[in-house]
Amino acid sequence: MPNALSLNQLSISELTGRLARREISAREITQACLDQIARVDGTVHAFISHDPADALAQADAADRDLAAGVTIAQKPLLGIPIAIKDVLAVKDHPLNCGSKILGKFVSPYDATVIEKMRAAGAVIFGRLNMDEFAMGSSTETSAFGITRNPWDPARIPGGSSGGSAAAVAADEAIATLGTDTGGSIRQPAALCGCVGLKPTYGRVSRYGLTAFASSLDQIGPFTKNIADSARLLGVISGLDPRDSTSVDVPVPDYVAALDGNIRGLKLGVPKEYLIGGLDPEVKASVDAAIQQYLALGAEIVDISLPHTDYAVATYYIVATAEASANLARFDGIRYGQRVDGADPLELYTRTRGAGFGAEVKRRIILGTYVLSSGYYDAYYLRAQKVRTLIRNDFLAAFKQVDAIITPTTPTAAFKIGEKSGDPLQMYLSDIFTISCNLAGISGISLPCGFTTNPKLPIGLQLLGQPFGEATLLKLAHAYEQSTPWHREKPGTLA
Ligand code: GLN
């Protein structure tokens, strides 16, 4: 496809339209993504691995469906190549969680989200790079090497779902799945200039997601635009008897919600988000987005989320406590790699010592400490109480407003290596995203501009009520359709 956009650059809605009219085949779409991977992934390294023959076989199955008259209404992702973060189980494919410790582990089953996407006709492919066990904000803690930002290969793509964001930004996949425990979908989406949605806790089944912090983790889509996000969310959402934390709330038609009419909707601007480290260009873009919302007929309301200051500290107690328990299963006996020892204790310590990277060890030590007797009350219990205060701040705000508007990140993408020696600086890059997970609410990041020199994407975050994704998507879509940002492509890979 010379001149015009090539197939791998198109959105789900554009591609399914063309497939339905039989102008193109599913095989051509998958091949276009595979060709792009061959062309750019040597630089980007969004993928840990991928299996072209398996992807093409699924695409051929989609073409047979199309030939047999299966419609897009029946299978809304028919023939669409979607790549998967290396923390989600895909049957017969490797599952490493960006870590060495799982060795040559191959998943014996599909996660629920994978099952649902297969039923919707998607071509499921690839293992996307990530921070080890989703702990990080830059994809630099992966045991499989770093991922580079397609807008500037000297910079990080964000994390922990850095591969998921970079693959969409570099047009190596039409959409991807990632996970968000404290910002790992929204932050890399912002830094790579794509759309990333963290659903409400309980909206999407976590069955088949390797747990980092079980009370915070959610799976969500990375896409090139809001309509695709709505479509993918509709496919993966819903109650799952295999995940007791998934919730029995009906799944609305998210695509139908995108009617462009946001007149009278109220957007809250929290005064606590005007922090010292906010980059002036990020602030200017978010201020301009607020003006744009006014122009579109929304109302802007000043609000306060008074416990915002405690969010990062609370998160690093709750998340590390849960991680220390969840990661106990990687002991050299049940999964993956083993380093033998004279007795079980030595086997455990050798296996875990060799298998986990520094950041994961730091989290396990911190988490074990805050749960230990004598410190439990002072740290873990207190953090749980503060978490409730943070959630109550949001619930009170949502009595006044339909959604909350903030920057997604305080700065655009930083340089590779810039923060890797300073965990606290790294943790602060999630300052705007973390409270959403603690409160269990929904959040989305979408492009809202660029820095000038160098040109790097800036993300706008909208936070929504629990199960308020339809309103979030509607608000995001109205903004997207009235601005040019989502149409820009990184020039560095051309
Ligand atoms: N960056 C945060 C952390 O390191 C969030 C990670 C995530 O959302 N998985 O914990």
Side-chain angles (χ1 to χ4, degrees):
M1 298 246 339
N3 300 326
L5 290 181
S6 54
L7 294 182
N8 56 302
Q9 296 181 301
L10 301 180
S11 66
I12 299 178
S13 8
E14 288 163 328
L15 289 168
T16 49
R18 295 184 62 181
L19 280 171
R21 294 191 297 274
R22 309 302 305 274
E23 294 166 9
I24 55 170
S25 69
R27 175 174 263 265
E28 287 171 308
I29 303 171
T30 295
Q31 190 60 57
C33 290
L34 295 172
D35 291 348
Q36 179 73 347
I37 293 171
R39 197 158 41 231
V40 304
D41 212 53
T43 304
V44 178
H45 191 49
F47 287 82
I48 294 173
S49 65
H50 69 294
D51 180 345
D54 178 66
L56 289 168
Q58 293 177 61
D60 289 343
D63 282 327
R64 285 194 295 277
D65 269 358
L66 283 159
V70 173
T71 65
I72 304 302
Q74 290 165 319
K75 292 194 174 182
L77 301 176
L78 192 55
I80 301 300
I82 298 183
I84 309 298
K85 185 178 181 181
D86 187 32
V87 72
L88 291 162
V90 177
K91 190 173 181 336
D92 298 332
H93 286 263
L95 173 62
N96 289 101
C97 306
S99 180
K100 274 197 298 219
I101 203 161
L102 278 140
K104 296 193 183 325
F105 182 76
V106 168
S107 174
Y109 70 98
D110 274 339
T112 296
V113 289
I114 302 297
E115 263 181 13
K116 283 175 177 268
M117 293 201 302
R118 282 197 204 286
V123 172
I124 306 293
F125 81 111
R127 305 301 302 166
L128 292 166
N129 201 18
M130 56 182 278
D131 281 300
E132 186 177 6
F133 286 102
M135 297 173 187
S137 306
S138 64
T139 316
E140 291 169 297
T141 74
S142 170
F144 296 89
I146 55 173
T147 295
R148 294 175 182 275
N149 191 311
W151 292 87
D152 177 357
R155 290 173 191 265
I156 56 98
S160 64
S161 314
S164 306
V168 170
D171 293 312
E172 296 171 275
I174 306 305
T176 60
L177 286 190
T179 58
D180 191 314
T181 306
S184 279
I185 291 175
R186 289 158 290 152
Q187 186 256 21
L191 303 190
C192 289
C194 48
V195 174
L197 172 72
K198 185 207 88 79
T200 306
Y201 187 77
R203 175 74 298 183
V204 175
S205 167
R206 293 181 297 112
Y207 180 77
L209 158 63
T210 312
F212 160 10
S214 314
S215 76
L216 301 163
D217 299 340
Q218 271 291 292
I219 302 165
F222 286 85
T223 54
K224 298 179 206 271
N225 63 33
I226 299 294
D228 286 2
S229 187
R231 186 183 305 214
L232 203 41
L233 180 67
V235 170
I236 63 175
S237 291
L239 178 70
D240 177 8
R242 292 176 298 190
D243 172 7
S244 62
T245 64
S246 70
V247 178
D248 191 8
V249 171
V251 180
D253 184 340
Y254 293 116
V255 178
L258 311 179
D259 59 12
N261 181 13
I262 62 163
R263 195 154 287 281
L265 285 180
K266 294 195 177 73
L267 277 172
V269 182
K271 67 170 196 274
E272 290 77 10
Y273 281 65
L274 270 180
I275 54 160
L278 185 59
D279 179 90
E281 284 186 296
V282 173
K283 181 175 184 307
S285 290
V286 173
D287 287 343
I290 291 171
Q291 291 308 315
Q292 182 63 14
Y293 271 112
L294 278 172
L296 290 167
E299 288 175 36
I300 301 294
V301 182
D302 289 328
I303 60 161
S304 173
L305 300 166
H307 296 92
T308 300
D309 257 3
Y310 306 109
V312 173
T314 304
Y315 170 85
Y316 277 94
I317 293 171
V318 173
T320 57
E322 294 185 20
S324 72
N326 278 326
L327 270 58
R329 75 193 64 179
F330 302 102
D331 56 8
I333 306 286
R334 285 170 285 193
Y335 304 89
Q337 212 124 282
R338 172 181 305 172
V339 185
D340 267 320
D343 53 46
L345 194 60
E346 194 176 76
L347 183 153
Y348 291 154
T349 47
R350 283 191 180 171
T351 298
R352 289 164 67 83
F356 288 136
E359 182 61 26
V360 172
K361 287 178 186 161
R362 178 162 31 238
R363 307 275 181 122
I364 292 172
I365 292 168
L366 202 58
T368 308
Y369 176 77
V370 300
L371 288 175
S372 59
S373 85
Y375 298 102
Y376 180 91
D377 287 2
Y379 293 108
Y380 186 71
L381 205 61
R382 178 164 296 200
Q384 292 292 20
K385 290 178 180 167
V386 178
R387 181 176 184 178
T388 302
L389 296 175
I390 291 171
R391 178 170 167 86
N392 289 345
D393 282 355
F394 280 103
L395 297 183
F398 287 130
K399 293 205 171 100
Q400 281 178 272
V401 297
D402 299 288
I404 294 169
I405 187 167
T406 78
T408 310
T409 59
T411 67
F414 45 92
K415 291 225 169 79
I416 290 166
E418 191 178 320
K419 296 189 182 179
S420 42
D422 187 346
L424 274 185
Q425 276 311 310
M426 189 71 88
Y427 297 174
L428 287 173
S429 57
D430 300 317
I431 195 153
F432 297 132
T433 50
I434 269 177
S435 336
C436 166
N437 303 71
L438 289 168
I441 60 174
S442 50
I444 193 167
S445 178
L446 66 155
C448 72
F450 292 90
T451 58
T452 40
N453 191 20
K455 181 178 179 182
L456 299 168
I458 297 173
L460 180 72
Q461 177 175 244
L462 299 176
L463 299 172
Q465 311 231 10
F467 300 96
E469 287 85 355
T471 306
L472 267 194
L473 287 160
K474 177 195 184 82
L475 279 162
H477 182 252
Y479 173 82
E480 175 196 75
Q481 292 303 302
S482 67
T483 53
W485 318 118
H486 67 291
R487 282 191 290 273
E488 303 243 0
K489 300 274 183 197
T492 55
L493 301 170

